[in-house]
Amino acid sequence: MAKKNEFATDPAWRGRTALVHGGTERSQWMETGEAMFLTSGFTYGSASEAERAFATPIKPEDQRFVYSRFGNPTVAMFEARLAALEGAEACKGTTSGMSAVFAALASQLRVGSRIVSSRALFGSCHYIVTELLPRWGVESVLVDGADLAQWKKALSVKTDVVFLESPSNPMLDLVDIRAVAKLAKKAGAKVVVDNVFATPMLQSPLKLGADIVVYSATKHIDGQGRVLGGAVLGSRAWIDGTLVPFIRHTGPTLSAFNAWVLLKGLETLPLRVAAHSKNALAVAKFLEKAKPVARVLYPGLPSHPQYALARRQMKDGGPLVAFDLAGGKKAAFAFVDALKLIRISNNLGDAKSLICHPATTTHQRLPADEKTRLGISPGSLRLSVGIEDPADLFEDLARGLAAAAKARR
Ligand SMILES: *Cc1c(COP(=O)(O)O)cnc(C)c1O
């Protein structure tokens, strides 16, 4: 077995090759499939070897696995492979997307710190930023992510962290990452981007000036609704110096089994995301022409209010579509209940198409005025488009539309 820090990806490999081979470290058995190291601990040949492994600073030649809360070979393969895709110096796997977000923020904030964040956030991210961090003495400021003037004003004073999601969950608002990163730099802030909706295939926040990228690997990286996982990516100095001590000592460590599932997920990520995106565009176009659809929000359609920005910073429209039905909650519930193929679920990023009514599920907790500000109306639906045959999706959506039309009458 190689030393811990040798999980390498040949820099000459192009993206899709790196996703199949990157980070692979074979055991003495030279297996083709990556080995799953289901072990909590590791053993030492001698007491002095153990002593050297715990030394700080540790000598490079003494680097090794000491305990799976700190690191594990299967997890290290996943981290190296995702880092190669993202073009990041380093990656750390976590138990879930939320532990990735929380560790990325909490590891660099303290009493008196200031965080500026876009308002359009995943429900639990919203909770961390607006409830948890202020409880610990962190000043938390929310801005409308699409409005650069608000970012400029909020970042006119010294700030520690900027946090944003683009496209956002559930209404697919975008943030101009390059412009916000420039403002953040002047304010002395590190920019953390939740890149779940774009996936690492369609948007590279680090290349746009962000410092840190976080993922819920539960979503498209797994892609088949099997396991929870997360990841944080950034510079080697920040990951090793700031994030790793936080994770080592608080324990939101990715399990070897989940890392193995996610590692295999990465191999087919480009194929799946392309299929999701192609289906999502077709579905968005279908819904745009349909009644009683009041509006469709899809970054790959010219009707999206930030289409020009989407073209600049995303390679494609992505796997999610949001739309509003005329007729409010009654129409939305009738639509969802009439579906036979598309399943009702607050999860997303599965091969199976999944639909959710954000106002009563993922974003139920938000006060009414905040929902309005985020564009989440009683008629809003979020559709995570799967990789089924689109003709079957259209048939199912037509069932929903007919039921919604009937419910309005
Ligand atoms: C799902 C999701 C998360 C949280 O991920 P978990 O793996 O469920 O903890 C964070 N951000 C966004 C945008 C998500 O969609």
Side-chain angles (χ1 to χ4, degrees):
M1 232 18 237
K3 298 280 186 202
K4 185 190 158 187
N5 50 4
E6 287 176 5
F7 287 72
T9 298
D10 187 333
W13 286 336
R14 291 161 186 85
R16 275 165 67 167
T17 308
L19 281 177
V20 175
H21 297 279
T24 302
E25 192 60 59
R26 294 192 168 82
S27 76
Q28 73 272 33
W29 309 115
M30 298 301 281
E31 61 282 351
T32 41
E34 295 77 359
M36 202 193 299
F37 288 91
L38 293 179
T39 180
S40 40
F42 301 86
T43 61
Y44 305 87
S46 68
S48 80
E49 191 187 335
E51 181 185 29
R52 278 181 273 122
F54 277 80
T56 35
I58 189 165
K59 290 190 186 133
E61 65 271 26
D62 293 331
Q63 288 266 2
R64 50 160 291 153
F65 292 103
V66 296
Y67 189 51
S68 281
R69 170 151 50 78
F70 304 177
N72 170 286
T74 310
V75 176
M77 286 192 255
F78 165 70
E79 291 167 343
R81 193 170 287 182
L82 184 57
L85 170 62
E86 196 69 43
E89 286 173 15
C91 171
K92 191 77 191 148
T94 59
T95 44
S96 68
M98 282 327 302
S99 57
V101 169
F102 184 64
L105 299 181
S107 65
Q108 52 179 337
L109 291 167
R110 65 197 66 227
V111 178
S113 299
R114 176 182 161 92
I115 179 170
V116 175
S117 170
S118 58
R119 175 182 302 289
L121 293 176
F122 181 70
S124 295
C125 298
H126 197 272
Y127 174 82
I128 290 178
V129 169
T130 62
E131 296 193 34
L132 207 51
L133 294 176
R135 205 194 287 169
W136 291 340
V138 173
E139 183 193 357
S140 173
V141 179
L142 290 185
V143 298
D144 292 337
D147 186 350
L148 276 179
Q150 288 189 33
W151 282 109
K152 202 164 180 178
K153 185 157 171 258
L155 293 172
S156 60
V157 296
K158 197 186 160 325
T159 300
D160 301 282
V161 175
V162 161
F163 179 51
L164 63 94
E165 205 176 291
S166 182
S168 71
N169 183 3
M171 298 315 284
L172 305 171
D173 298 321
L174 306 191
V175 176
D176 186 335
I177 298 172
R178 195 185 290 280
V180 170
K182 257 191 210 147
L183 294 169
K185 194 161 249 165
K186 272 194 234 149
K190 285 234 187 307
V191 178
V192 181
V193 175
D194 181 333
N195 204 36
V196 169
F197 271 40
T199 82
M201 300 314 308
L202 303 181
Q203 179 170 274
S204 305
L206 297 179
K207 293 193 185 89
L208 296 167
D211 301 285
I212 294 141
V213 180
V214 294
Y215 286 105
S216 164
T218 315
K219 311 295 168 57
H220 304 89
I221 292 176
D222 172 6
Q224 292 168 72
R226 297 164 293 192
V227 299
L228 292 178
V232 185
L233 298 108
S235 69
R236 168 66 60 196
W238 184 83
I239 295 277
D240 286 353
T242 302
L243 184 76
V244 165
F246 183 90
I247 288 182
R248 269 176 85 128
H249 299 299
T250 60
T253 310
L254 181 61
S255 81
F257 176 79
N258 289 9
W260 181 83
V261 173
L262 299 170
L263 184 60
K264 303 310 280 179
L266 285 176
E267 292 183 359
T268 56
L269 187 67
L271 308 176
R272 289 183 290 103
V273 170
H276 280 290
S277 248
K278 193 168 168 219
N279 271 2
L281 178 63
V283 161
K285 283 183 175 162
F286 174 88
L287 289 171
E288 210 170 31
K289 287 196 292 254
K291 275 185 188 157
V293 176
R295 72 171 176 157
V296 175
L297 289 165
Y298 183 64
L301 279 185
S303 59
H304 190 284
Q306 296 162 292
Y307 180 62
L309 175 60
R311 292 286 299 261
R312 272 208 308 281
Q313 72 183 16
M314 294 173 71
K315 293 198 183 89
D316 210 345
L320 286 124
V321 178
F323 58 102
D324 288 342
L325 290 173
K329 181 177 169 184
K330 213 169 136 207
F333 272 37
F335 181 99
V336 167
D337 289 341
L339 299 173
K340 290 189 174 149
L341 176 67
I342 300 167
R343 307 301 302 181
I344 307 168
S345 175
N346 48 288
N347 194 17
L348 60 96
D350 197 299
K352 299 174 173 67
S353 289
L354 303 174
I355 197 158
C356 108
H357 184 250
T360 54
T361 59
T362 52
H363 290 69
Q364 186 179 137
R365 271 186 357 94
L366 289 188
D369 61 330
E370 189 69 4
K371 277 184 210 163
T372 308
R373 246 186 304 211
L374 295 177
I376 303 171
S377 77
S380 299
L381 291 169
R382 184 197 74 193
L383 178 57
S384 167
V385 182
I387 58 174
E388 301 95 338
D389 188 312
D392 289 318
L393 295 177
F394 298 155
E395 274 177 30
D396 207 34
L397 293 169
R399 266 192 284 274
L401 291 165
K406 211 163 135 196
R408 284 186 72 206
R409 282 201 290 272

